[in-house]
Amino acid sequence: MRVQGHDTRAIWLEPDGKSIGIIDQTKLPHEFATRRLTNLAEAAQAIQSMQVRGAPLIGATAAYGVAIAMKHDASDQSLDQACKTLMATRPTAVNLRWAVEEMRRYLSGLPPSARAAKAYERAAAICDEDVEINRAIGDNGVVLIEAAWRKKGERGAVEILTHCNAGWLATVDWGTATAPIYRAQELGIPLHIWVDETRPRNQGASLTAWELREQGIAHTVIADNAGGHLMQHGRVDLCLVGTDRVTATGDVANKIGTYLKALAARDNNVPFYVALPSPTVDWTIADGVREIPIEERDAREVTEIAGRLPDGTVARVQLTPDGSPAANPAFDVTPARLVTGLITERGICPASRDGLLSLFPERRLAANA
Ligand code: MRU
């Protein structure tokens, strides 16, 4: 998508053919800074510190992390170590495991001398596949926005509420929840996006708002607690969010606070859709609340906040009394029964085992094998 008018992806291979370029997302929205990853430790640290974040982008970075490791040392031990190091960075987004396992599967049958080149090839293909998947999610999901537009008598703007950042910054390009929004913009449908700030890390206020502004899409940042009120007053036509892991039965893990939005949406008859690429489905589990590991992050993300001062410098300040403990679960699980539908690259389906299998029938065969 566009940054200051230039087409940009969220991750790229640098011209030296070995290091990886990323946007340092911890600096947005106040500074657009890029960073070069040159070794495995830097790739792992970029994921852990959330310089790169969002389930698909974490997977893409991990794939390139394995490639960088292979460039330095392509032995079996090095491959094993790279996979372990990357897997330990963040626990909830299953795309990380998917990408690491895919790289291991692809490389382990090759002689070490062939691994580095093939690893870069596969990582680049994973990135390109992500872009194509998200484009297809856009094509499939835009029908929901078109329907909402027709339902409103083609008056005003379609009002969409989103949580966290499931935009192009969270993927390689297009985003998942934002792909239908960007397609609707291309079709000339008037849009207005309610952007949940998404405490504690404010991915909505700092990333989604920045992304939509760069893309020229009307939006308003709201406090996380405002969504229910807006839904009660008919100000939301559709909720559209991303996800870090979907169970084989359609339960959805996403950024903390998503569950509360789904509850409010159900109470107000607002459709609640989740957009996901197929690597986000964890076919091995059925009960999201019990089985999806929820990342617990540093309590200082809750007790402190960063922002720009009038002199332009960015500073962190403390919000809470000295000594008050804080807890920071980073994700929650929305049960399938609260999800109106799943938007995938193969189409839209009910959030259920049968729904998912109707789009991915090869998984039924695998389950029966
Ligand atoms: O902690 P983050 O910023 O990595 O969490 C990101 C989200 O929760 C996104 O909604 C999810 O990864 C979907 S991204 C297309």
Side-chain angles (χ1 to χ4, degrees):
M1 304 304 283
R2 286 196 291 278
V3 179
Q4 289 153 11
H6 300 288
D7 282 340
T8 310
R9 282 186 172 190
I11 189 167
W12 59 91
L13 182 64
E14 291 284 1
D16 67 9
K18 52 185 183 192
S19 46
I20 303 307
I22 58 161
I23 299 164
D24 180 350
Q25 299 191 21
T26 62
K27 298 264 198 313
L28 287 171
H30 305 304
E31 186 189 348
F32 180 79
T34 60
R35 198 193 148 193
R36 207 177 259 252
L37 307 177
T38 62
N39 59 44
L40 172 66
E42 287 175 0
Q45 187 267 344
I47 297 172
Q48 217 289 321
S49 65
M50 294 178 62
Q51 286 176 335
V52 286
R53 30 68 51 204
L57 184 60
I58 292 172
T61 309
Y64 268 126
V66 173
I68 294 175
M70 293 299 93
K71 191 88 178 170
H72 289 279
D73 174 358
S75 65
D76 285 353
Q77 298 91 304
S78 164
L79 177 57
D80 199 45
Q81 188 51 43
C83 293
K84 279 201 183 103
T85 303
L86 291 160
M87 280 295 291
T89 51
R90 297 194 70 192
T92 303
V94 78
N95 309 59
L96 174 68
R97 184 182 83 196
W98 176 86
V100 166
E101 282 179 357
E102 172 60 17
M103 293 300 283
R104 191 201 283 276
R105 184 197 63 76
Y106 191 72
L107 299 174
S108 51
L110 298 172
S113 59
R115 281 181 185 163
K118 286 288 180 193
Y120 277 95
E121 255 176 54
R122 186 65 192 115
I126 285 174
C127 290
D128 290 343
E129 285 160 20
D130 182 67
V131 177
E132 287 318 307
I133 285 174
N134 296 333
R135 205 190 301 275
I137 289 173
D139 290 340
N140 293 330
V142 76
V143 301
L144 301 170
I145 300 177
E146 288 174 305
W149 176 227
R150 280 195 299 275
K151 195 171 164 200
K152 294 184 88 151
E154 304 194 356
R155 275 193 299 274
V158 178
E159 305 262 2
I160 300 172
L161 181 141
T162 193
H163 191 70
C164 193
N165 173 262
W168 71 264
L169 287 168
T171 65
V172 178
D173 207 352
W174 281 93
T176 58
T178 53
I181 292 172
Y182 294 139
R183 283 289 290 126
Q185 182 192 33
E186 286 175 354
L187 297 178
I189 299 174
L191 301 163
H192 172 258
I193 316 301
W194 296 109
V195 178
D196 284 354
E197 61 177 348
T198 319
R199 281 283 292 149
R201 285 191 67 107
N202 294 312
Q203 290 94 327
S206 56
L207 302 178
T208 305
W210 179 83
E211 213 188 291
L212 294 174
R213 199 206 57 186
E214 291 291 321
Q215 218 55 37
I217 294 184
H219 61 280
T220 304
V221 179
I222 49 173
D224 290 319
N225 297 329
H229 165 78
L230 292 170
M231 291 186 221
Q232 275 178 331
H233 289 270
R235 308 278 305 276
V236 181
D237 298 309
L238 191 68
C239 295
L240 202 43
V241 301
T243 169
D244 292 81
R245 190 182 299 225
V246 172
T247 65
T249 53
D251 291 344
V252 169
N254 192 45
K255 181 54 51 192
I256 193 77
T258 304
Y259 172 47
L260 291 176
K261 292 300 138 67
L263 285 170
R266 174 55 55 94
D267 196 43
N268 291 285
N269 292 318
V270 174
F272 187 92
Y273 281 93
V274 178
L276 63 134
S278 51
T280 304
V281 183
D282 184 347
W283 297 96
T284 68
I285 58 174
D287 183 336
V289 174
R290 287 197 173 67
E291 295 180 275
I292 296 178
I294 299 296
E295 179 178 16
E296 277 284 338
R297 292 188 63 87
D298 194 319
R300 278 174 302 180
E301 292 181 353
V302 175
T303 59
E304 299 173 3
I305 199 163
R308 190 170 60 190
L309 301 176
D311 70 1
T313 56
V314 173
R316 287 193 79 78
V317 294
Q318 182 179 326
L319 291 168
T320 51
D322 288 340
S324 283
N328 189 9
F331 297 91
D332 60 25
V333 173
T334 300
R337 67 188 148 76
L338 297 177
V339 177
T340 311
L342 303 173
I343 310 169
T344 79
E345 69 269 27
R346 294 208 191 158
I348 302 177
C349 69
S352 65
R353 190 184 290 279
D354 284 347
L356 280 165
L357 288 174
S358 71
L359 295 182
F360 299 93
E362 69 275 21
R363 291 289 169 174
R364 192 187 299 273
L365 297 177
N368 294 338

